[in-house]
Amino acid sequence: VQASPVRYPWAESKTPIITFSELNVDPRNDYLLIPEIYGPDLYQSFSATAPGVKKVIFNQNCYYTFSKYPLLPTKDALPYLDQRNHIVATLVVSKDSEDYLRYLFPDHPVMRIVNSVDTQRFSFQKEKKKLITFMPRKGHEDLKQVLHMLALRGVVDDYQCIPIDKRPQHEVAKIYKAASIFLSFSTREGFGLPPVEAMSCGALVIGYTGQGGDEYFDPSFSYPIPTESTRHFAQTVEGVIKQLDAAPNSLDDKRQRASDFVQSAYSIENEERSVLDSWRSIMMKHGGFPLGDARERKSAQ
């Protein structure tokens, strides 16, 4: 909920953006999807202004669940435990988040939806440049350490290092396709989309899984690093670069297997199926407009 509509300049989207005051909801059929970052303010922000409306929490990062709570715990203001305000379920985007919230709230419905990758835009490219890319927003200090270690040892003298922060998607995809290596410094991540998109383009991904990325950081085609192990991180990057310099095509099979995995596991079809299945389950229990299968809807149009 914003005082005025906000659209990020690097985001390519035509989705309508309105303020909460402009929203007209029907308690009989409508649901409000609320991000987890509101925490204890969720009641004031939504429940008082939309009484009786069914609400679903969209928890995209389980590690933000308690970000606005006081140090000493209390159950009084946990929306996941409160049925009075019509909070009926929670959606998450990774196996790690699903396990986290089901451990915390075993009686609260938690459903995992699948994040998808635009496999046409983030498609595999075999030809690579001496280019290393990364997202600098998270783990900035560790990123600085690793880059300085590599530079001082002369490892990246022939490499270009490019951050992808605040770039439009078409530009990010172009960088990923050209990049030999993507460095992941995410910690406490709900899912972590940049490493997945980089894998899809054939970049070798090295770094922290952020817990949410455990499901795709397969050691057979990527290089997971224990969080905050910056020396180990730099040594791994150095080893990969030395291998590429000695035999540029020696890791092509790894690149291809990583891309194949991503494009299979995180397809738009898997996302659509998981979203529809989750909302069908919610609506069967709590009512609302029925959701038919996507193929059924298309044939009816």
Side-chain angles (χ1 to χ4, degrees), residues 111-270:
M111 283 157 273
R112 188 262 172 98
I113 61 175
V114 176
N115 276 335
S116 68
V117 172
D118 182 346
T119 54
Q120 291 188 334
R121 171 166 285 172
F122 297 98
S123 57
F124 181 80
Q125 180 171 301
K126 183 178 179 179
E127 296 76 20
K128 297 295 180 182
K129 298 179 180 179
K130 290 193 172 185
L131 189 159
I132 297 172
T133 188
F134 45 83
M135 171 63 75
R137 284 204 304 266
K138 294 187 178 181
H140 183 81
E141 289 303 314
D142 283 11
L143 169 62
K144 188 190 301 182
Q145 286 189 53
V146 170
L147 290 180
H148 278 263
M149 286 180 184
L150 294 171
L152 286 170
R153 289 182 57 80
V155 176
V156 292
D157 288 352
D158 297 330
Y159 278 75
Q160 185 180 11
C161 296
I162 300 180
I164 60 165
D165 195 22
K166 297 183 180 179
R167 296 176 185 265
Q169 276 201 325
H170 70 273
E171 190 174 329
V172 171
K174 185 177 180 180
I175 294 170
Y176 284 160
K177 288 182 178 183
S180 296
I181 296 170
F182 176 89
L183 307 180
S184 174
F185 287 88
S186 295
T187 58
R188 294 181 296 171
E189 194 72 67
F191 179 72
L193 197 55
V196 176
E197 292 172 339
M199 282 184 186
S200 187
C201 293
L204 295 167
V205 175
I206 304 171
Y208 307 157
T209 72
Q211 285 77 45
D214 286 347
E215 64 186 60
Y216 58 77
F217 256 92
D218 188 322
S220 71
F221 53 66
S222 64
Y223 301 84
I225 305 293
T227 302
E228 298 185 350
S229 299
T230 51
R231 179 175 57 82
H232 183 192
F233 201 135
Q235 288 173 327
T236 302
V237 176
E238 181 171 348
V240 170
I241 287 177
K242 285 182 176 179
Q243 183 173 349
L244 290 173
D245 287 345
N249 299 322
S250 61
L251 296 175
D252 285 356
D253 181 61
K254 265 192 173 182
R255 300 182 192 279
Q256 187 67 66
R257 282 188 286 116
S259 180
D260 290 346
F261 170 80
V262 168
Q263 296 194 24
S264 173
Y266 304 113
S267 66
I268 186 64
E269 292 80 13
N270 285 345

Side-chain angles (χ1 to χ4, degrees), residues 44-75:
Q44 181 179 356
S45 300
F46 296 97
S47 295
T49 51
V53 177
K54 297 177 285 290
K55 303 165 186 73
V56 174
I57 299 172
F58 188 21
N59 192 312
Q60 295 191 79
N61 191 333
C62 62
Y63 302 104
Y64 291 166
T65 299
F66 299 104
S67 61
K68 291 189 177 181
Y69 285 83
L71 175 63
L72 297 180
T74 174
K75 293 183 179 181

Side-chain angles (χ1 to χ4, degrees), residues 30-50:
D30 293 339
Y31 288 79
L32 282 178
L33 190 64
I34 306 167
E36 82 286 350
I37 56 174
Y38 284 98
D41 297 333
L42 186 149
Y43 297 117
Q44 181 179 356
S45 300
F46 296 97
S47 295
T49 51

Side-chain angles (χ1 to χ4, degrees), residues 79-100:
Y80 302 86
L81 299 174
D82 190 352
Q83 298 302 314
R84 295 171 300 172
N85 288 286
H86 300 91
I87 297 167
V88 298
T90 294
L91 302 178
V92 297
V93 294
S94 69
K95 181 65 166 60
D96 181 64
S97 288
E98 183 180 13
D99 292 344
Y100 182 105

